[in-house]
Amino acid sequence: MSTVKLNWGTGLVIGMLLFIGFILYFVITMMTDSKFDHELVVEDYYKQELILNEQLEARQNLAILSEPIRGKKTAEGWVLEFPKELQNKIKGNVFLYRPSDKHLDSDFPFVLSESNLLIPETRLLDGRWNISVTWQHEGKPFLYETSINY
């Protein structure tokens, strides 16, 4: 019987091949398994990047309001309190973004009847939400964004 001797060079090559095989196994598993989702955060990423300057201007316009917009949780849902100067003067759009499930995202128009905007509890499940409210006032665009845990 002959014995096979392994020197340190052969052992090093075998170790490297095993490590490479281990890494390739996990890469292939991650790419082919359907339970690992590889979607972009938003579908139209590049389109949204092009309107970035308009969004920055709309965010900066919040500074001209007499007081900041405040949000709070109530029994009916999430209430956004606008400054009194905007009462009965604005129409806009609310976008609810759920980072964990794009199927829960929703978009709806609003008309401010008082100085409060109610986002109904039926639209909000427990968890994290990103809220974007856009509107025009005296020819200027406004964008209010916040993240909440409902």
Side-chain angles (χ1 to χ4, degrees):
M1 288 188 136
S2 68
T3 59
V4 178
K5 288 183 131 186
L6 294 177
N7 62 17
W8 67 271
T10 306
L12 185 63
V13 169
I14 291 172
M16 287 175 40
L17 290 175
L18 287 174
F19 179 72
I20 291 170
F22 176 75
I23 296 298
L24 285 175
Y25 166 76
F26 279 109
V27 168
I28 291 169
T29 301
M30 293 294 291
M31 297 301 281
T32 58
D33 198 342
S34 62
K35 72 179 178 182
F36 299 110
D37 192 11
H38 303 290
E39 294 181 8
L40 290 173
V41 175
V42 278
E43 300 268 337
D44 53 352
Y45 175 79
Y46 295 107
K47 181 180 173 185
Q48 286 190 5
E49 184 179 354
L50 293 175
I51 59 172
L52 182 62
N53 284 339
E54 294 171 11
Q55 289 178 341
L56 288 173
E57 179 188 348
R59 281 187 201 108
Q60 290 171 348
N61 286 339
L62 289 175
I64 65 172
L65 297 176
S66 62
E67 56 187 274
I69 297 170
R70 292 181 176 85
K72 65 180 178 181
K73 185 176 181 177
T74 65
E76 296 86 27
W78 190 263
V79 175
L80 293 173
E81 298 174 355
F82 287 82
K84 300 288 185 208
E85 68 205 52
L86 297 178
Q87 186 173 355
N88 298 324
K89 293 184 181 177
I90 62 171
K91 295 178 189 176
N93 196 44
V94 176
F95 178 64
L96 302 174
Y97 172 69
R98 179 69 179 233
S100 62
D101 187 357
K102 71 178 181 178
H103 301 292
L104 296 175
D105 294 354
S106 63
D107 196 11
F108 59 92
F110 74 93
V111 176
L112 202 59
S113 58
E114 293 179 4
S115 59
N116 295 333
L117 171 63
L118 173 67
I119 300 171
E121 184 179 30
T122 56
R123 291 192 181 261
L124 299 169
L125 295 176
D126 290 344
R128 180 163 184 243
W129 289 92
N130 294 343
I131 300 173
S132 297
V133 182
T134 57
W135 72 92
Q136 294 273 335
H137 179 64
E138 297 178 352
K140 294 181 182 178
F142 287 84
L143 172 61
Y144 172 75
E145 294 178 310
T146 188
S147 295
I148 64 167
N149 286 315
Y150 189 76

